[in-house]
Amino acid sequence: MSTNTSHKPVFERRESEARSYCRGFDTVFTSASGAEMTDVDGRTFIDFLAGCSSLNYGHNDPDMKAALLDHITNDGIAHGLDMMSDTKAQFLETFEKLILEPRGMDHKIMMTGPTGTNAVESALKLARKVTGRRDVIAFTNGFHGMTLGALACTGNAGKRAGAGGAPLCGINRMPYDGAFGDDVDTIGQMEMMFDNPSSGVEAPAAFLVELVQGEGGLNAASKDWVERLGRLAKKHGTLLIVDDIQAGIGRAGSFFSFDDMDVEPDMIPLAKSLSGFGLPFAALLIRRDLDIWKPAEHNGTFRGNTHAFITARVALEKFWSDDKFKNEIAEKAQILETRLQRIADMVPGAKLKGRGMMRGVDVGSGELAEQICGEAFRNGLIIETSGSFDEVVKVLAPLTIPVELFEKGLDILEKAASTCVEGHNIAAE
Amino acid sequence: MSTNTSHKPVFERRESEARSYCRGFDTVFTSASGAEMTDVDGRTFIDFLAGCSSLNYGHNDPDMKAALLDHITNDGIAHGLDMMSDTKAQFLETFEKLILEPRGMDHKIMMTGPTGTNAVESALKLARKVTGRRDVIAFTNGFHGMTLGALACTGNAGKRAGAGGAPLCGINRMPYDGAFGDDVDTIGQMEMMFDNPSSGVEAPAAFLVELVQGEGGLNAASKDWVERLGRLAKKHGTLLIVDDIQAGIGRAGSFFSFDDMDVEPDMIPLAKSLSGFGLPFAALLIRRDLDIWKPAEHNGTFRGNTHAFITARVALEKFWSDDKFKNEIAEKAQILETRLQRIADMVPGAKLKGRGMMRGVDVGSGELAEQICGEAFRNGLIIETSGSFDEVVKVLAPLTIPVELFEKGLDILEKAASTCVEGHNIAAE
Amino acid sequence: MSTNTSHKPVFERRESEARSYCRGFDTVFTSASGAEMTDVDGRTFIDFLAGCSSLNYGHNDPDMKAALLDHITNDGIAHGLDMMSDTKAQFLETFEKLILEPRGMDHKIMMTGPTGTNAVESALKLARKVTGRRDVIAFTNGFHGMTLGALACTGNAGKRAGAGGAPLCGINRMPYDGAFGDDVDTIGQMEMMFDNPSSGVEAPAAFLVELVQGEGGLNAASKDWVERLGRLAKKHGTLLIVDDIQAGIGRAGSFFSFDDMDVEPDMIPLAKSLSGFGLPFAALLIRRDLDIWKPAEHNGTFRGNTHAFITARVALEKFWSDDKFKNEIAEKAQILETRLQRIADMVPGAKLKGRGMMRGVDVGSGELAEQICGEAFRNGLIIETSGSFDEVVKVLAPLTIPVELFEKGLDILEKAASTCVEGHNIAAE
Amino acid sequence: MSTNTSHKPVFERRESEARSYCRGFDTVFTSASGAEMTDVDGRTFIDFLAGCSSLNYGHNDPDMKAALLDHITNDGIAHGLDMMSDTKAQFLETFEKLILEPRGMDHKIMMTGPTGTNAVESALKLARKVTGRRDVIAFTNGFHGMTLGALACTGNAGKRAGAGGAPLCGINRMPYDGAFGDDVDTIGQMEMMFDNPSSGVEAPAAFLVELVQGEGGLNAASKDWVERLGRLAKKHGTLLIVDDIQAGIGRAGSFFSFDDMDVEPDMIPLAKSLSGFGLPFAALLIRRDLDIWKPAEHNGTFRGNTHAFITARVALEKFWSDDKFKNEIAEKAQILETRLQRIADMVPGAKLKGRGMMRGVDVGSGELAEQICGEAFRNGLIIETSGSFDEVVKVLAPLTIPVELFEKGLDILEKAASTCVEGHNIAAE
């Protein structure tokens, strides 16, 4: 009897019905390395999910792993609340030197609870404190977390229903770039609202926005839209919060998703791949003059995961000391675009979505997209859907994936798409 | 020049003003083992804070450490979203066998985001979904987290101000056991409210309660009060959520803070010492029939920290396979009570607070309590205050602390108290 | 065929199910004078409901009627928004001279929309504006109106359900005097909450309180409780709003319900009997220095019902130029108390409620109270219940009712009580 | 010394700073008849404000006046809560026969508190109850009242600030017809939101909309827009609430503002000119099957102003028994349009606004519009501005105004416009 067989019952017996990924990926995993995961039966899967972009550097990167093992072996701090530690100092110094200084950014770093939603909540609280305004504008198809403040900003109706009727207040919802079609000037519409004192929509405390909407269907805002949003914010005393939890840390092509844009976000929630190793870790970057927090005004037990400081520092040093990694991402992004186009070509009306290594194909139906992902999984590829109707097949491969393995994964995907599209067409006949 | 000197500036330069513990404990820590932490200058401190009860088994427990090193070395999963893994299965099986089954509990386990506040938010959401009621009752001096839903339940005015004016809705606040003095029947008052259809306070979706209020001043609810609360909940279709984040996992004397009470909590948020090693990890225990979550209705990236599964499992096996550890806690709790009484005897009006290994002395003034903690720190003891006015000197030593070291720490504390009380009296003259 | 028969169907056919009094008083009224109403069949009823205290001077008072007829005949203004008019000036001057000046009150008068709920909403808005605080404290069994802001302050669960799930936010509910029994110091409990910065209940923008709870069961707050509430408000920068809509204008014994108390309300919503004639009219008295409204910041079409200015002025001149009317109320109140005691004596456990001419008997059960009112109506007396369970038979006779007619009405009531108590006892056997 | 001089001080001394119209129209009025008001100095003004459309039939209409005098003289009911009365029955029967039946409408009539805001609050509450949904969509520049629920729907920022920070929740704001320019399909945008389950904007409980925005600048929704809104509502189970408080009762050209449109409003709040005589009176029309109120679930003291029943009935009989009045309105509307066009022609960029007898000129600046109104008042015409920037000179003359007097008023207006435009141009040079 395989371990698989013996382990699976406990999940059904004991784990809450809220569990989700384990339903689609119906096996028990035991180890993982680079871009591959292995299950109890010794089967290996190429990972095009990468912990929903939490494993941008792949599983168990050897350098991070070595540093972490060394730290643990030597009784380095595992948990130190938000006390000062050498490892935390080294992380901060490295982040300052490799990320902030080269960009001329002078942001402070707030160690929030180690979840993206906590970083978002921190940003929302601070934006309201700083501006004295209550409402925040979030966008259609935005995803920002599951705790009440962040959930109010999240667009997904199913997630919102989880609040059980608790008021999701203090949010105005506006259309994301392209939400009403390419020819509708959504920034201009917002501006008309703010300029009209009887509109009922005042300039908000903040805009909370993802530059590529990871859960919302890989919608990528255009450079122009983002820059206009930034100018609109400045004009109205509104803070710009770029939620870079999923799109940041290289995923959209560079460390920040806004690196190539003329925009200066006031706050930037980071999480997912920030630790580099998949460890729970989140932080909020805050424009220096906005950092008016009182000590412990937002606190929490696990702010500053010490193990994560180590792997995060190694990740910065290894991947962001020069432009090499960024260029590598660009090359793979090109491959990805080309290959996804081939899939898109199979499905009438299909569209490429996203940018950088955060791309997918809108195949027009959630049913088809899920069939493709299911078929891919049966053939050794872990991949998920995204979008309002789960209609986007989304590729979130590790950015470090070797090209050959990447192509192999894309082969599996293309074949799965082909099979399913064919089946779909037959069914439709 | 010591590392200390070189590292400290980065915290002031780069870390948000929200940072807190590092202000009181003004040194840079580098390693920790058992009940002691060491700083960059090689100075060793006895730790009576224990990560705010996140390190109930001390720092870097050798057995957990060995298992974790082994896991990492062998490329065990570091991050797997909420997919199935062997380590997760083993944790669930161990928790079931050692914790749930012996107590006749049949709760499901929900892997929430790895913060206490996330487990609390999950409980609040589910309670509202299950009951169709919107309001929750939280208690004076309760502390439940910093994200908007949990923050609404937290009593501390300073923390609440952090919301920046976002509505903290859906909560009715009721007096905790003893909040109005020993002779006021606070349960009876609530019952009168619920039984009166014009009171404006309907029976809520849930009671959210800590049985010992860790941040609120080590107020310990009496067995009778808790049991009456449980019966009141049952009578009115209200769910009982026992927030065991700080008081659980042995801190109050046994695994759950309610182990010796005739009460059946419907939901139990756990975090802090759940991982055993100080790693970010939280979970929500849910009475089986209440687990009506839809898949992914509450989701999140770091639900189920795989590294924490390993250390948490080892912790359960090592400390909760039999009654030995519980008895050990009881012995130390006795020592603690005796020693704290000596401190209390120094200050007119001082009172012992708390129970189990979660105790302190209310010295009547935040100023004095902080002086004592400061003096203790200068003499090698890490210890903090608690309470509405920081008036309680709070001892949260690792439960595993060797008796000799415990006594040594208590000696430092007693001496600090003696010094400060004397100074206080002189100042008052 | 009587008009009665012909008219009744239209109410069922066309009037919303929200209609209420017409269900209990199942006849069609055509005229009214003094303390009596006459129906289409020529039947006359003694009115112990008096428009829920809107007709404290009885129906169609001849002096008010004459003045109103004169005004209408001469094309006096019927509607003038909030423009200046001679009639409005005369009302203001009279109110100033007869009501404010003798009491040393220097309040401003705000013409709100002509409903009590609008006056209450105005007070709530202004209290929040003035203090910069959001929460207001309302009390168990309080009744303040049906629009969303006032409804949040109303205790009745059925009324609150009418909000259909709209959030009733910004209110903390506290026990009214005696709500937890005579020996519980509810003011002291509130003070403990406010003095404790971790209680979760901060000192509010305002207390909103009725000194006799008209809908909530004729609970009358003691002088001591009210005065302590006033001092607590002053101490904490909280405004005291005395909702005198039902208890004011003589009903509780003097013009204001607080006339004999050492308390200085910051705001006083008035409505119901303010016009004297039953015309829609409401106003908010505002302590001069709190009147920071901007022009039209709270506006509305019917602020300042001109017809009501005339009748209200006549009412003030006729009844409040000296102490005669107050003394007359006191005499009738004495009669009322004596007679109600006789009814109370019939029912074991029955209690007298209220004060002044706002009194009733708690007969211990809504069923019995409604039987009594039904029996009384069949015998020519209009009277209603009050209280959380409709358990109080409430007498709200016109204050001007001739003693003989008053006694006649009380005879009917006593007889009805006797009949029903007997029936009740038989049923219970 | 004139009465004027003697009366004015009391307003400054005693009336709240919230007073507004009296500031612009700086005289004390004493009587009014038809379309004219007279002040204490015997000066007569033509009234182009008409109580903000509350006096559509002019002041003191002789037939209503006679009926009201007769009623009062005979001790008819002045106040009867919501008990049945002959006058109420007659109103209901007349409304049914003359208004509902000819239109094939089968709505129930709810007597709400006698303010427009109360009728709106009733509609919002019922819409939420019926649909089980919490959010309502209101539109830019909408005005619906000042109590908390209605205020949340009102667009004006100054009015909203009056809430003093109380949460204005449960509303999503959408662009009114033309708010983003003529070429933007605002209905289509809403539909895209509702059809997208991740938009964050679910189909609401109700649309709350004015067909001509009285306070918001006389924006008139097109027939097509309204009909599409109606279809969108039906498609998504959303109720359509047409707030006809200002635009109804003939103002926009027919009894209801939607009479010529293919739309079936589910609820219709009415107030202002409903009584015909300027008396406080409001009602809510409710589609029969939606009338799920429990008795007294929304209650209030002045629901059903009996004096207003009489005048309202006479108004219906006199003006709405046949098409004569509607045709008369159409003729005057034509005159109005022609004359306003002449004013518009004086100001570059000026635009005609509104429809029916609810029209104005957008002169491009609030300063100019207020100068025009001020100059007009000095010359004997009462007229006000409207719009986000008070930029619209708004004509709300009584619908019954004799043509000659109407032209005379328009002459004054035109001359005032001419004078001010000239001054404006000189100042701008």
Side-chain angles (χ1 to χ4, degrees), chain B residues 319-338:
Chain B
F319 295 103
W320 301 102
S321 292
D322 56 33
D323 278 353
K324 243 177 69 182
F325 187 56
K326 190 179 163 183
N327 295 337
E328 187 185 324
I329 299 170
E331 281 166 42
K332 288 176 191 163
Q334 189 52 55
I335 293 169
L336 180 56
E337 185 177 11
T338 306

Side-chain angles (χ1 to χ4, degrees), chain D residues 273-350:
Chain D
S273 278
L274 181 59
S275 83
F277 205 71
L279 304 178
F281 184 32
L284 177 68
L285 306 189
I286 302 170
R287 215 181 70 200
R288 179 170 295 277
D289 60 307
L290 305 178
D291 182 28
I292 62 168
W293 287 113
K294 292 187 194 149
E297 194 171 2
H298 181 96
N299 65 1
T301 296
F302 296 119
R303 285 167 303 144
N305 179 351
T306 308
H307 286 187
F309 290 146
I310 294 156
T311 54
R313 176 184 50 76
V314 172
L316 293 176
E317 290 167 351
K318 180 169 177 178
F319 296 103
W320 300 101
S321 292
D322 55 34
D323 278 351
K324 243 176 70 183
F325 188 55
K326 191 179 162 183
N327 295 337
E328 188 186 324
I329 299 170
E331 281 167 42
K332 289 175 191 164
Q334 189 52 55
I335 294 169
L336 180 56
E337 185 178 9
T338 307
R339 295 296 305 262
L340 290 180
Q341 187 58 57
R342 277 158 58 173
I343 293 173
D345 291 343
M346 298 178 196
V347 189

Side-chain angles (χ1 to χ4, degrees), chain D residues 120-352:
Chain D
V120 168
E121 295 256 356
S122 301
L124 294 171
K125 288 162 73 169
L126 186 58
R128 287 170 171 134
K129 272 177 67 76
V130 163
T131 61
R133 301 177 187 173
R134 188 161 55 205
D135 286 349
V136 164
I137 280 184
F139 294 88
T140 53
N141 288 41
F143 184 96
H144 302 285
M146 290 292 109
T147 50
L148 213 61
L151 183 57
C153 298
T154 291
N156 185 292
K159 307 286 187 235
R160 294 165 67 84
L168 299 173
C169 283
I171 297 298
N172 278 315
R173 184 77 45 180
M174 290 288 159
Y176 191 73
D177 189 16
F180 291 155
D182 291 343
D183 53 336
V184 173
D185 175 9
T186 54
I187 299 286
Q189 292 189 353
M190 263 193 293
E191 187 154 21
M192 279 188 261
M193 290 268 199
F194 301 163
D195 286 345
N196 171 3
S198 287
S199 71
V201 180
E202 288 92 34
F207 295 123
L208 175 63
V209 66
E210 304 154 284
L211 301 201
V212 186
Q213 297 185 315
E215 300 303 304
L218 295 178
N219 309 303
S222 71
K223 187 172 186 294
D224 179 60
W225 191 86
V226 174
E227 293 177 352
R228 289 182 65 203
L229 186 68
R231 289 195 298 270
L232 185 63
K234 275 207 165 55
K235 176 178 160 195
H236 287 279
T238 292
L239 303 181
L240 180 64
I241 305 173
V242 173
D243 178 339
D244 238 3
I245 293 170
Q246 186 160 158
I249 323 286
R251 176 56 61 187
S254 52
F255 190 83
F256 293 119
S257 65
F258 53 83
D259 271 339
D260 299 322
M261 299 178 177
D262 184 16
V263 72
E264 295 170 331
D266 298 292
M267 289 191 251
I268 306 155
L270 296 173
K272 292 196 185 273
S273 278
L274 181 59
S275 83
F277 205 71
L279 304 178
F281 184 32
L284 177 68
L285 306 189
I286 302 170
R287 215 181 70 200
R288 179 170 295 277
D289 60 307
L290 305 178
D291 182 28
I292 62 168
W293 287 113
K294 292 187 194 149
E297 194 171 2
H298 181 96
N299 65 1
T301 296
F302 296 119
R303 285 167 303 144
N305 179 351
T306 308
H307 286 187
F309 290 146
I310 294 156
T311 54
R313 176 184 50 76
V314 172
L316 293 176
E317 290 167 351
K318 180 169 177 178
F319 296 103
W320 300 101
S321 292
D322 55 34
D323 278 351
K324 243 176 70 183
F325 188 55
K326 191 179 162 183
N327 295 337
E328 188 186 324
I329 299 170
E331 281 167 42
K332 289 175 191 164
Q334 189 52 55
I335 294 169
L336 180 56
E337 185 178 9
T338 307
R339 295 296 305 262
L340 290 180
Q341 187 58 57
R342 277 158 58 173
I343 293 173
D345 291 343
M346 298 178 196
V347 189
K351 280 178 300 197
L352 289 202

